[in-house]
Amino acid sequence: MKLSDISKKLDEIRTEGRFRKVSDLRMVTASKGVDRQGKEYIVFNSNDYLGMTHEREVEKAAGLAISYGTGSGGARLTSGAVFELSDLEREIAHFKHKEDAVIFNTGYMTNLGVLYALAGPGDVIFSDALNHASIVDGCRISRAAVKVYPHSDMGALEKLLQETETAGQRFIVTDGVFSMDGDVADLPSLVKLKGKYEACLIVDDAHATGVIGETGRGTAEYYHMEGIDIQVGTLSKSLGAEGGFAAADRNITDYLRNCSRPFIFSTSIAASTGAAALAALRLLEKNPEKYMGALRQNTAYMKEKLRKAGISFLPGDTSIIPIVMGREEAAMEYAARCRERGILLSAIRPPSVPAGTSRIRLTVTAAHTREELDRAVEVMRECLTNDT
Ligand SMILES: *Cc1c(COP(=O)(O)O)cnc(C)c1O
């Protein structure tokens, strides 16, 4: 694009009502934020599923580790090998029932790093149509052939696997929990198919870790089965920090440390960030009933209240609650009305979701109080009847 075309492009975006900007918000608890004018909001658009960002032990761990430097000083292979990240790798591997894990700087970089390093020309990646953008981008930079199958359509996936000849490696890559609908990937079928067609199965549990399975271990635990070759995840959602991980056999993790450019050429996250994620993981492992229980109870409570209020939403086993509105403007205006009244919801529009299915997406967390949930439903109901 010529730089002289930018203004025109921006005007187009504005005309289509798609111009986006950042609204500053300071989180004062895991469920409440204030803007620069001091207005308070109850937050339902955060991925802090277990409220770990404000847990006292997590804050304390991060605070202690800040004395090891506010930045890590370099990439881990050269200069930034902070203790906390190596400890975290070991404990994540144990949590995910894998030999080892590698920490990347974000979940986004993890997918780029894994697909870039492992898949290349001659290989084929089979990717769900609703996979996260970071998987899509990872497929692109890998330079492998990419076959996109319709969302969760196992018949279509098998057909593609059958008809795609390759002398190289096949990869099947999927979100564990899909971020827009909150539905769970069909792991039993995926494991069967990956066995039958000798594929490597990569599952990104960004929205599944700390959310599904009795102890929050994610998609594998949800189905009580193993069979995932590479478990990708993020530290930024239920683990209250920032960063991403890939857990797998040691051969694979060693290879990633040696050959994955996003791992090799980027300064690692700081000790305090690693310490926060490690403390959050330990809290979850020590007391899964407390965190998972609160998340489940809050989610069930919220869904029941919404139902009673006559607000319908897509079903699912996660705390992502999608309320489909149809038109883009309807979702945008509804979110704006709720925001005006102190409730933050996200309006999701194409291209994140198919045209005509624009929606409100709200996420319940373990940190919401009953009063906050009650207040949200009250506002949501009033905003619905106002003028739609
Ligand atoms: C959020 C998310 C990511 C990105 O993780 P970050 O740590 O925010 O970069 C990757 N994959 C999926 C499926 C996600 O939902």
Side-chain angles (χ1 to χ4, degrees):
M1 187 174 66
K2 298 270 256 187
L3 291 191
S4 51
D5 290 339
I6 286 184
S7 300
K8 209 175 90 213
K9 208 72 208 160
L10 280 172
D11 285 341
E12 268 171 44
I13 295 173
R14 284 198 189 90
T15 316
E16 289 164 8
R18 292 202 186 167
F19 187 79
R20 304 177 68 175
K21 55 188 194 321
V22 173
S23 329
D24 288 350
L25 186 75
R26 176 172 288 161
M27 295 302 289
V28 291
T29 72
S31 56
K32 207 181 287 171
V34 293
D35 67 14
R36 290 196 182 255
Q37 283 69 47
K39 183 175 159 74
E40 271 197 13
Y41 299 91
I42 310 171
V43 174
F44 289 92
N45 55 7
S46 148
N47 299 313
D48 183 15
Y49 290 115
L50 301 177
M52 290 294 187
T53 57
H54 288 71
E55 276 291 278
R56 193 125 57 85
E57 283 188 50
V58 176
E59 291 177 340
K60 217 169 72 188
L64 281 174
I66 209 86
S67 62
Y68 311 137
T70 50
S72 73
R76 278 168 77 215
L77 286 176
T78 49
S79 46
V82 298
F83 294 3
E84 286 73 15
L85 295 185
S86 300
D87 294 346
L88 183 59
E89 288 180 337
R90 249 191 328 277
E91 297 197 20
I92 282 177
H94 176 79
F95 181 58
K96 288 285 186 180
H97 296 188
K98 288 290 173 194
E99 285 177 7
D100 191 21
V102 188
I103 303 289
F104 289 81
N105 291 349
T106 64
Y108 181 93
M109 279 172 78
T110 309
N111 281 318
L112 254 51
V114 167
L115 293 168
Y116 172 84
L118 296 178
D123 301 323
V124 187
I125 304 172
F126 300 85
S127 176
D128 189 288
L130 292 192
N131 276 343
H132 189 262
S134 56
I135 296 178
V136 175
D137 294 354
C139 289
R140 283 186 192 146
I141 69 161
S142 75
R143 299 192 296 146
V146 179
K147 304 279 174 186
V148 176
Y149 57 92
H151 176 49
S152 283
D153 186 338
M154 295 295 113
L157 171 59
E158 173 147 32
K159 194 152 165 285
L160 279 175
L161 283 161
Q162 243 164 17
E163 69 192 22
T164 309
E165 294 290 332
T166 175
Q169 176 68 49
R170 294 176 151 100
F171 296 87
I172 302 173
V173 59
T174 181
D175 285 17
V177 167
F178 289 88
S179 56
M180 291 305 144
D181 289 352
D183 53 324
V184 186
D186 180 358
L187 187 63
S189 301
L190 289 165
V191 168
K192 225 178 281 163
L193 289 177
K194 79 118 192 176
K196 187 165 167 193
Y197 295 94
E198 295 178 355
C200 166
L201 178 60
I202 305 173
V203 176
D204 179 351
D205 262 354
H207 287 285
T209 302
V211 177
I212 59 171
E214 290 78 18
T215 66
R217 195 156 61 75
T219 308
E221 187 181 30
Y222 178 83
Y223 287 107
H224 301 109
M225 62 189 297
E226 300 296 333
I228 298 173
D229 297 301
I230 304 177
Q231 288 259 354
V232 170
T234 178
L235 310 177
S236 69
K237 289 173 178 148
S238 61
L239 295 178
E242 282 158 30
F245 63 85
D249 286 350
R250 190 170 307 279
N251 243 356
I252 291 177
T253 52
D254 279 344
Y255 188 76
L256 290 175
R257 286 192 189 90
N258 279 275
C259 301
S260 181
R261 293 167 68 89
F263 176 82
I264 299 167
F265 293 107
S266 188
T267 296
S268 82
I269 55 178
S272 55
T273 308
L278 186 55
L281 178 63
R282 286 176 177 166
L283 284 179
L284 172 61
E285 287 202 271
K286 201 167 82 188
N287 204 344
E289 312 81 49
K290 175 177 167 195
Y291 296 98
M292 302 295 296
L295 181 63
R296 280 203 190 96
Q297 281 160 24
N298 276 350
T299 305
Y301 182 83
M302 187 65 171
K303 286 182 173 175
E304 185 54 29
K305 288 224 58 150
L306 286 170
R307 247 181 242 118
K308 281 197 182 132
I311 300 173
S312 52
F313 48 87
L314 300 181
D317 283 347
T318 69
S319 54
I320 297 172
I321 307 182
I323 301 168
V324 176
M325 304 237 140
R327 289 183 313 116
E328 277 184 43
E329 300 76 26
M332 297 292 295
E333 283 160 18
Y334 185 71
R337 278 203 297 277
C338 291
R339 182 188 177 91
E340 191 59 35
R341 306 196 48 192
I343 303 295
L344 286 191
L345 310 168
S346 13
I348 313 277
R349 305 168 280 166
S352 303
V353 293
T357 71
S358 288
R359 64 196 62 190
I360 293 299
R361 175 180 178 280
L362 74 94
T363 48
V364 176
T365 74
H368 286 116
T369 63
R370 288 294 150 97
E371 292 71 31
E372 289 172 339
L373 298 177
D374 290 345
R375 175 70 190 145
V377 175
E378 189 186 322
V379 167
M380 287 175 71
R381 190 180 42 201
E382 287 166 9
C383 287
L384 260 191
T385 50
N386 261 355
D387 63 21
T388 32

